[in-house]
Amino acid sequence: MKKKRLSLLSMLLIVSLLVTGCVGGSENTDTKAVAEELPIFENEGKAATDYDVIVVGSDPEGISAAISAARSGMKVLLLSKDSTPGGLYTLGALNFIDIPETRDGKTLVGGIYEEFFNKVGGSGFDIVEAANVFDDMLKSEDNITVRYNSKFVEPVMDDDTITGVVVDEDGQEITYSAPYVIDATQDGDVAAAAGAPYTFAGEDIGERDREMGVTLVFRLSGVDWDKMTRYLTVKRAIGEFFNKSTSMGVSGNTAWGFSDEGYGYEPEDEAMRLRGFNMARQDNGDILVNALLIFDVDVLDEESRAEGIARAKAELENIVPYLQKNCKGFKNCELAGTAEDLYVRESRHIDCEYNLTIDDLLENRDQEDRIAVSSYPVDVQPTKTQTYGTVVGYPDQYAIGYKSLVPKDVEGLLIVGRAAGYTSLAAGSARIVPTGMACGEAAGVAVAVAKSLDKTPREMVDDSASMALIQDLLKDQGAKLDHTQTKEDVMSHWAYPGVKVLRSLGVLDGGYDNDYALDDDVTMNRYQNMVNNAVKKAGFELSEKIYVNENPPARQIIGTMARACVEIEGGDKLENDNDVYLKALEERGIMTDEIKKYFSDMEAVPKASAVTMLTARFYSYLLTLDGAQSLKAAECIDLESEDNEVVAVPDWVAAHQDAQSDSSDTAETAENTSSTEDAQTDSAA
């Protein structure tokens, strides 16, 4: 009783502080301040044309790669398509740093990223200050030549080896040469143009047309930071008091919240949406807001990107009055400008010697050729048809190997940034800038090691001596490469193989807590989402989607699934009988004795664990049928294994096709033998 009374007193104190204005925040700055312009840097005369390594792209990942290579003794050329270094952090105005750390708060990325982080004062940095810090860091390295307004045109190739790049520099076409090139462009432009294979967006899980919203960060003046942060602080405290989830908070120059207000905005442009705000205060008092999602933008087309920016600016004319009316502390806000470039979360995923998988992340795996360790929620943002995004899971820590920086089919090239060797789901976490800077630093060291050993980047793959040297040099530069294996509780659950399969397809999410609610009753929406997506991802289409009751009984689960099998196979309809349905699923290897125990009562709602496993095996069975599609990043269950072994879909489909081919060849041989024997018998007669 005493504890409850104290809690109530604390609650009253918080409310009184909200009224009197004494919670958190800092002194209010001049609300009339205007947006500062980013510094512009110009080229001084002509540059040499031959280098040890060329880094294409001046985003933070490219800057990190260039500095790392220079410190390792390489003569470096950094090519920037812009007149200001920093890319997403400056021109994109994304100054709310996603800090990779373990669940207990241990920072995972050091080295050059940490240098930058400390110089700009951490998350919520001033973007003008960031541009100047990047410039100072580059100028401090004698081995680096930076060329601004130098836009990549095409690679210079000698057969399958890249030997340089052609750029449009201040309107003049120039060729630069080097035995090593690092692609630090946001979209993997160099690798793609050089012939490296790639997938686009969610193509590797059957979702090439998935378009995560892009964002135009906008700048507001006149926001009452004190009033806003008091509101968020108290509202969060109230939510925690009543054990309600809170997606708001304040930390230094950063704040986040207003999800209800954001999603409550009704845009004029249907291909646009406001969501919860990520906010960061600038040195002049302006606030940068990351909240506006823009759809229907072809991120690989400059005209489409420009159109997206123009549409967003038009929408902001309606958004600002809405904020003034509905958001605490925004009453006197004014639009002070927008970022110069879009924040694009996803485009190409370059095929590398190894592409990090969703299991690598959510099982917190190490890599033998580890060159970085990171963590961040697997964050998939909303699409035009999906109001809310999702968090597939939250790793504690995972390693990235050198192989994920080496594109297939092109020699002399490394790639860093969000287009590097990650599957589309893994990129939901690995795409963040600090992780990219860690990989950029590794790429810079790797080319120096390759030069010293007279090797190509690919020749160092799986070479333990080369990897040991790269790792030692990275540690000397302050990189953090320690990895501790963390085992998630779900990995011990009997239905975990089913989780892995459906998670790899992008149809099962564990959220921030990695909780798949396996021991809960399955819900209508969960089953329908899993089973209909299983059909779609396998490459098939039913005459109508599968629907069940709100609390689906076991008979509906097995009935809809069995009938779907028969329809896809092109067979006759099944009799409406539970035993017939069970037998149909058992004959196809979908229903097992282990799963069947959860379907003993046909009127009861089965557990999500059993339905997850059943659906995973259903999907795996569909892959054995003619016309099934093989998804590069998907997994399935080997139906012939006794322990529900999870295998890659391409391997499973290929093995099944080989088995079918062998069976067909055997049957044909037997038929031919029989025909020959018949002919001999006829002749003898």
Side-chain angles (χ1 to χ4, degrees), residues 14-26:
I14 290 172
V15 174
S16 67
L17 288 174
L18 175 61
V19 174
T20 58
C22 299
V23 175
S26 57

Side-chain angles (χ1 to χ4, degrees), residues 505-639:
L505 294 173
V507 300
L508 189 60
D509 306 326
Y512 290 103
D513 298 325
N514 297 315
D515 183 2
Y516 301 90
L518 294 173
D519 297 321
D520 294 348
D521 290 346
V522 73
T523 62
M524 172 187 71
N525 288 335
R526 181 169 184 169
Y527 173 63
Q528 289 176 175
N529 179 59
M530 290 193 304
V531 73
N532 286 313
N533 269 294
V535 172
K536 179 182 177 182
K537 300 279 181 151
F540 299 106
E541 184 176 351
L542 296 171
S543 56
E544 62 178 47
K545 289 185 176 181
I546 292 174
Y547 296 99
V548 292
N549 294 346
E550 185 173 349
N551 297 303
R555 58 179 171 77
Q556 276 196 324
I557 302 293
I558 64 169
T560 53
M561 193 173 287
R563 290 195 298 271
C565 288
V566 172
E567 179 181 339
I568 292 170
E569 294 165 352
D572 296 331
K573 290 185 178 181
L574 294 175
E575 180 185 351
N576 185 15
D577 182 273
N578 293 335
D579 290 337
V580 172
Y581 295 146
L582 277 175
K583 183 179 179 182
L585 295 178
E586 289 171 340
E587 288 176 343
R588 291 162 174 79
I590 298 171
M591 179 66 76
T592 66
D593 290 341
E594 185 177 30
I595 301 173
K596 193 175 180 180
K597 292 183 296 185
Y598 293 86
F599 288 83
S600 58
D601 183 350
M602 285 296 166
E603 297 304 321
V605 179
K607 297 297 181 184
S609 56
V611 179
T612 296
M613 280 296 296
L614 192 70
T615 308
R617 294 184 69 88
F618 167 67
Y619 167 72
S620 304
Y621 169 73
L622 294 182
L623 295 175
T624 69
L625 304 178
D626 290 340
Q629 68 178 359
S630 177
L631 300 177
K632 184 176 294 186
E635 297 178 333
C636 63
I637 292 175
D638 183 352
L639 298 179

